Amino acid sequence: MAEPRFVPLPPRRAPALPPAEAARAFHETMRERRSVRMFSPRPVPFEAIEWIVRAAGTAPSGANKQPWRFVCVGDPARKREIRLGAEAEEREFYERRAGERWLADLAPLGTDENKEFLEVAPWLIVVMKLAHGDDGSPVYYATESVGIAVGFLLAAAHHAGLATLTHTPSPMAFLNRILGRPAHERPFVVIPVGYPADDCVVPAAALEKKPLGEILVRA
Ligand SMILES: Cc1cc2nc3c(=O)[nH]c(=O)nc-3n(C[C@H](O)[C@H](O)[C@H](O)COP(=O)(O)O)c2cc1C
């Protein structure tokens, strides 16, 4: 059993504003984030992707196991394969799997089985949840941990002036085959990253967020 070792909390850069104002400014930034499904082919340097993934990698995780891997795909042939794989699953989803209620809930977003963005966006970050460590060791609260890391990743990309989509073609096992990844890496979500297309539109319904009174309870 390892003995705990403690170090002083590293100093932070002093916030320029008091907490409420700083939080308000951050909210102003975050409320501009939108899921984008129409990307520009404009290149994004790999270095930007590296920094975004570093930010995701700072996320908290159960027992600090960091049960994630971020597979960053920029190769056009691979992106095409992913598009074809995703579209095959999505056709099944829209024609059979989704069911009436789910389709009704998706209707205001105007999504369908066409996933052109998977080829157009310069980068696809395929987030993998590790079922166990690479050495077979256990991981804890992996779903919660990877979800939080994805939140960091989306915020980092947005902060960098880039657009993202949280895409979940289901089932996603085809990604292991295309990307040559081992079975303990479970595809969690596919995140296209890039600039929005000049003529990009987003569903008006996505702008409707619940008011604070509905999501915050002061107890
Ligand atoms: C876990 C998760 C899965 C999602 N899967 C898809 C998807 O497969 N395809 C898609 O077009 N959007 C997907 N979305 C995006 C949502 O539709 C979008 O976040 C929602 O409509 C709100 O829009 P906003 O992100 O612009 O605020 C997903 C979002 C989340 C969080």
Side-chain angles (χ1 to χ4, degrees):
M1 194 85 72
E3 280 298 312
R5 192 175 67 82
F6 294 96
V7 295
L9 178 68
R12 291 184 50 179
R13 279 172 295 161
L17 298 167
E21 282 174 56
R24 183 195 176 111
F26 187 64
H27 168 255
E28 288 301 318
T29 300
M30 290 309 293
R31 71 198 287 263
E32 291 175 344
R33 183 207 55 82
R34 281 282 72 71
S35 288
V36 157
R37 300 175 182 83
M38 297 164 74
F39 282 86
S40 156
R42 182 176 160 195
V44 168
F46 183 56
E47 194 187 354
I49 301 299
E50 287 180 320
W51 282 115
I52 288 166
V53 171
R54 276 195 189 95
T58 67
S61 63
N64 197 29
K65 291 292 182 181
Q66 304 163 63
W68 44 63
R69 188 152 284 122
F70 302 90
V71 184
C72 302
V73 186
D75 175 57
R78 275 239 165 108
K79 287 193 295 174
R80 178 159 183 77
E81 264 192 276
I82 291 175
R83 174 186 177 179
L84 295 177
E87 285 183 339
E89 296 297 356
E90 293 284 278
R91 258 193 307 278
E92 265 297 299
F93 174 81
Y94 282 94
E95 284 169 17
R96 268 174 283 278
R97 272 191 229 121
E100 290 284 303
R101 178 60 206 255
W102 200 339
L103 289 178
D105 281 338
L106 285 173
L109 301 176
T111 53
D112 58 27
E113 64 275 16
N114 175 26
K115 304 297 169 192
E116 192 184 2
F117 53 74
L118 292 173
E119 257 189 288
V120 179
W123 293 101
L124 303 179
I125 303 182
V126 180
V127 182
M128 301 293 199
K129 175 176 92 172
L130 306 192
H132 53 72
D134 292 332
D135 58 0
S137 58
V139 295
Y140 311 101
Y141 296 108
T143 303
E144 294 83 348
S145 303
V146 180
I148 293 170
V150 167
F152 278 33
L153 190 149
L154 298 178
H158 179 63
H159 178 76
L162 297 168
T164 53
L165 174 67
T166 311
H167 181 39
T168 43
S170 174
M172 289 197 263
F174 71 93
L175 291 163
N176 288 77
R177 181 180 49 76
I178 293 172
L179 299 169
R181 303 306 306 173
H184 75 289
E185 292 186 6
R186 308 275 160 81
F188 189 74
V189 71
V190 179
I191 305 183
V193 182
Y195 292 96
D198 288 340
D199 59 351
C200 179
V201 294
V202 294
L207 276 67
E208 290 165 21
K209 299 301 182 192
K210 292 180 181 175
L212 191 65
E214 232 178 284
I215 63 170
L216 185 150
V217 177
R218 187 167 179 172

